[in-house]
Structure formats: C-alpha cells, structure tokens
C-alpha cells in the first residue's frame, strides 16, 4: 500500500495541480496528460453504477450520478479520472460481459458500433483488485485539490454526451430491473 501511495503522490506532483480547482479544471489537466478530450456527463444512473467512462472518437466521457451531493459527484469523477491517469486498461471480457447483459438481444460488436464505443467501454470493477485500490488512493489524493462546483451539477447533456447517455439509459434500466427481480426472488425464497 505504501508503494501505491508513493506512486500516486508522484503522479500528482507531475501533474502540477493548482492548490484548488473544480472538476472541469481537473478534466482539462487529465485531458492534456492522456492527450484526448475528457467530457463530464452527469446523468441518473439509477443505482446500477455511480460512475463509468465511455470512450468514443470524441474522447473520454465520464458519466457520473446526477442525484447525489456535489462532493460525492467529485469523488466519482476523480475515481474515473484516476483510471485514465493510471493507464488502467479495460478488460475486454468485462466489457463484453457487460454489453451482453445490457443488450441481450444484440451481439456485442453491433451494440458497441451502435453506441459508438471502442473496447475501452466502462470501468466499474470490485475494489478487491489492486487497480481499483490504487484508483481509490489516487482519487482521494486528487480530492485534496478539487472544490466541487454547484454549476457542474446542472450541466445539460447535449450532442455526443446525450447520444451516448441515450444508448446507455435502457441498458442501465435493464440491469436495474434484473437486480430488482433477483432481489424479489431472494425474498420469496424461490
């Protein structure tokens, strides 16, 4: 854990962060580091995930829960940005499994093409893996530099963000319905 923390502190030093910035400011810094635009996209994720990152030709899209406090939103966004900064590659099997679950009637390749996504689709693993722990460490350290802005919470989804969100919305609803059905089955003892 100490080595992980030292690596994260070194990365923050290399970023030359200002003493305080907002989420947009940190996205600009991360975009310069990863050499691709980073877009924020708040949306109701329905409790399925609190945040995820989609990769399109237009850059990275960080989706985060709209219906939570500004501080929790900052934590979610910083977690997703930490994945980008740490260069964590998405496991294609996780992506394919997620798309199979989210779009059961469409093959994975077709679903990805329709959503305009590459294989670097989503980041939402369990915290039991080292990459997630490292991501949480970096996110917490980044939080020392970020002051959430109430205005960021109200950003409307437009253009490509709205298109990706529209494609993800039904998938998230499908997962939520499956979880609710599984919970009801468990309660009834079936």
């Amino acid at each position: 854990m100490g080595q992980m923390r030292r690596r994260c502190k070194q990365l923050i030093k290399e970023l030359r962060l200002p003493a305080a910035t907002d989420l947009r400011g940190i996205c600009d810094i991360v975009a310069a580091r990863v050499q691709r635009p980073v877009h924020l996209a708040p949306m109701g994720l329905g409790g399925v995930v609190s945040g995820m990152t989609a990769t399109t030709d237009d850059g990275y899209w960080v989706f985060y829960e709209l219906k939570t406090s500004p501080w929790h939103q900052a934590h979610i966004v910083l977690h997703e940005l930490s994945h980008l900064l740490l260069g964590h590659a998405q496991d294609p099997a996780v992506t394919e499994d997620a798309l199979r679950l989210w779009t059961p009637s469409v093959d994975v390749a077709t679903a990805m093409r329709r959503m305009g996504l590459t294989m670097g689709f989503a980041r939402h693993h369990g915290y039991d893996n080292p990459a997630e722990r490292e991501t949480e460490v970096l996110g917490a350290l980044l939080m020392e530099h970020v002051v959430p802005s109430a205005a960021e919470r109200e950003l409307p989804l437009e253009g490509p963000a709205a298109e990706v969100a529209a494609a993800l919305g039904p998938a998230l609803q499908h997962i939520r319905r499956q979880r609710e059905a599984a919970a009801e089955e468990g309660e009834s003892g079936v």
Side-chain angles (χ1 to χ4, degrees):
M1 190 66 150
Q3 183 180 5
M4 189 181 292
R5 190 169 175 80
R6 281 189 297 279
R7 178 180 177 215
C8 291
K9 283 185 171 187
Q10 179 59 38
L11 179 58
I12 287 176
K13 186 184 282 187
E14 291 169 12
L15 292 173
R16 293 184 175 98
L17 298 172
T21 186
D22 59 7
L23 287 178
R24 182 69 258 151
I26 198 101
C27 284
D28 291 342
I29 292 166
V30 172
R33 176 79 176 209
V34 299
Q35 299 179 336
R36 296 195 73 203
V38 176
H39 310 281
L40 294 176
M43 70 180 276
L45 297 170
V48 175
V49 293
S50 55
M52 62 185 168
T53 301
T55 306
T56 69
D57 292 340
D58 296 326
Y60 295 108
W61 296 88
V62 176
F63 290 90
Y64 60 96
E65 181 57 55
L66 175 65
K67 299 172 185 169
T68 192
S69 73
W71 285 103
H72 187 218
Q73 288 175 336
H75 174 80
I76 294 164
V77 170
L78 293 173
H79 178 92
E80 295 301 315
L81 294 176
S82 293
H83 276 297
L84 297 176
L85 287 167
L86 292 166
H88 292 163
Q90 174 63 34
D91 177 356
V94 172
T95 300
E96 290 176 21
D97 289 346
L99 285 173
R100 279 190 196 95
L101 178 65
W102 293 2
T103 58
S105 62
V106 179
D107 69 276
V108 172
T110 302
M112 291 188 76
R113 191 172 52 255
R114 285 183 183 166
M115 289 193 247
L117 302 174
T118 67
M119 285 309 289
F121 172 58
R123 303 178 194 282
H124 51 276
H125 305 288
Y127 291 110
D128 57 344
N129 92 36
E132 285 298 319
R133 285 195 301 272
E134 184 177 40
T135 301
E136 279 298 300
V137 168
L138 181 56
L141 292 170
L142 287 171
M143 193 70 164
E144 296 173 6
H145 298 271
V146 174
V147 178
S149 163
E152 289 166 339
R153 191 172 181 178
E154 304 301 324
L155 295 173
L157 292 183
E158 298 174 344
E163 292 170 19
V164 175
L168 294 174
L172 293 170
Q173 290 173 355
H174 176 74
I175 292 170
R176 187 174 52 246
R177 283 192 297 271
Q178 283 186 327
R179 286 184 180 174
E180 289 169 353
E184 288 176 13
E185 270 184 34
E187 289 173 6
S188 67
V190 176

